């Protein structure tokens, strides 16, 4: 999930814990859930905040790319 230790290291008991796939995915999913909940009804910004919380332009750019890729994978 590429959890950034600088911003989210406190979410795991150690760096080694984040190397455990289950822990890593759980922490990443928690971060994504918080990001999506921070802007209800705006999945592009919410998803983008996983990548760039404070930079709204970068968050939207990233979020739109993720949503477009998801649509392609679904065959939309």
């Amino acid at each position: 999930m590429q959890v950034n230790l600088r911003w989210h290291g406190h979410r795991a008991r150690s760096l080694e814990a984040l190397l455990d796939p289950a822990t890593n995915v759980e922490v990443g999913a928690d971060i994504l859930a918080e990001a999506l909940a921070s802007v209800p009804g705006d999945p592009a910004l919410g998803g983008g905040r996983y990548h760039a919380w404070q930079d709204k332009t970068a968050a939207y750019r990233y979020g739109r790319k993720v949503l477009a890729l998801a649509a392609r994978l679904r065959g939309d």
Side-chain angles (χ1 to χ4, degrees), residues 1-75:
M1 297 292 291
Q2 298 181 341
V3 175
N4 185 311
L5 290 176
R6 179 177 180 196
W7 304 114
H8 301 290
H10 65 282
R11 295 175 183 265
R13 62 182 188 279
S14 67
L15 169 61
E16 291 77 20
L18 285 174
L19 295 176
D20 172 63
T23 301
N24 186 281
V25 169
E26 184 178 334
V27 169
D30 287 347
I31 296 166
L32 181 57
E34 288 174 20
L36 290 166
S38 74
V39 284
D42 193 343
L45 181 56
R49 281 185 165 180
Y50 183 86
H51 172 69
W53 193 287
Q54 295 179 336
D55 184 337
K56 193 172 183 177
T57 301
Y60 266 120
R61 186 179 320 117
Y62 182 85
R64 287 181 183 126
K65 285 180 183 179
V66 169
L67 292 175
L69 178 59
R72 281 184 51 205
L73 291 172
R74 285 192 309 267

